[in-house]
Amino acid sequence: MARSDDKEDGITETVKTVVYALLIAAVFRSFFFQPFYIPTGSMKDTLLVGDFMFVNKMAYGYSKYSCPFGICPIGDRILARDPARGDVVVFRHPTSGQDYIKRLIGLPGDTVQVKDGIIILNGKVQAQTPDGKFIETFSPQGAVGGLPSCENGTAVPLGGDCPKPKAIEELDDHGPHSVLNIVDGGRADNTKVYTVPEGHFFFMGDNRDNSVDSRFPQGASGGVGMVPFANLLGRADRVIFSSAGKRMLFFWTWRGDRFFKAIQ
């Protein structure tokens, strides 16, 4: 009988340990750092498919979306701190409920327009300086295995070089960062003037012709539109780990030069 009791006690302790571990992990994810994997190329070459990072959940305070499944009993936002222009932010898509990562371009009250691929912010052109080309291998990327888009739809054989013109962009109140252009006259290279409402933000991907972002209205196209402050989950500050392969365990595809790389 004693052995049976000992066995039951052992099972109970194991269950308790698992429950405590899950609770600790949930608290850590909700209030400190959330793991995030880059599945698409919309933020190239700042972020590459296969980059892995921890998102700083403390950067902007907390909303109901800070918790898994949006279960935090928070009305609007607590311990709120304003994001800065140029931040790379993870946010909850206003309609689809998916987590996106983009660069913050427009703050509340700003006007934003894109002309010939150049941002005009509050009536002022934001400088872009050509910086050669970003070249990657034309091969399946990440777990999904999608192929990258190349300059002006260039036909590239598998394993060949896939180039894209690169520029250094400087936003008001933010230092330089890299942006890519796949094709001139792309579908969102020329937009109307957007006015960012109070309590909302305007986001764009750095891979400008391969990003569905605030230039596209919410609706059937999957557009992001204006993102409410409550939907911001945190700031991406640093890539922790990066793998070019389909599985993170494929060590021969690891990109060691991106380990602990600061995000500009």
Side-chain angles (χ1 to χ4, degrees), residues 53-155:
M53 66 203 67
F54 284 103
V55 177
N56 183 352
K57 301 290 287 289
M58 301 172 283
Y60 310 129
Y62 307 98
S63 73
K64 68 177 183 178
Y65 297 112
S66 299
C67 293
F69 312 111
I71 61 173
C72 280
I74 300 172
D76 186 13
R77 201 166 194 95
I78 60 173
L79 303 177
R81 288 177 289 276
D82 291 335
R85 190 189 322 284
D87 282 357
V88 176
V89 179
V90 173
F91 59 87
R92 185 67 47 85
H93 190 289
T95 57
S96 75
Q98 293 179 306
D99 289 349
Y100 276 36
I101 185 165
K102 306 287 182 186
R103 189 175 299 277
L104 197 161
I105 303 295
L107 301 171
D110 283 346
T111 60
V112 183
Q113 185 179 21
V114 181
K115 281 189 176 181
D116 297 324
I118 306 295
I119 294 173
I120 301 174
L121 185 62
N122 297 320
K124 180 181 176 182
V125 174
Q126 306 298 289
Q128 279 192 16
T129 305
D131 189 39
K133 293 189 178 182
F134 170 68
I135 299 176
E136 58 185 334
T137 303
F138 188 71
S139 62
Q141 297 183 342
V144 177
L147 292 169
S149 299
C150 307
E151 179 180 11
N152 292 320
T154 305

Side-chain angles (χ1 to χ4, degrees), residues 39-61:
T40 70
S42 69
M43 281 294 292
K44 292 178 181 176
D45 66 336
T46 302
L47 299 172
L48 303 182
V49 176
D51 282 351
F52 179 86
M53 66 203 67
F54 284 103
V55 177
N56 183 352
K57 301 290 287 289
M58 301 172 283
Y60 310 129

Side-chain angles (χ1 to χ4, degrees), residues 1 3 18 20 32-33 45 57 62 66 70 77 95 105 112 118 128 139-140 150 161 172 174 195 216 218 254 262:
M1 181 67 94
R3 289 182 179 178
V18 171
Y20 291 154
F32 297 101
F33 296 97
D45 66 336
K57 301 290 287 289
Y62 307 98
S66 299
R77 201 166 194 95
T95 57
I105 303 295
V112 183
I118 306 295
Q128 279 192 16
S139 62
C150 307
D161 287 345
D172 286 351
H174 182 263
T195 299
F216 300 90
Q218 297 166 10
W254 292 358

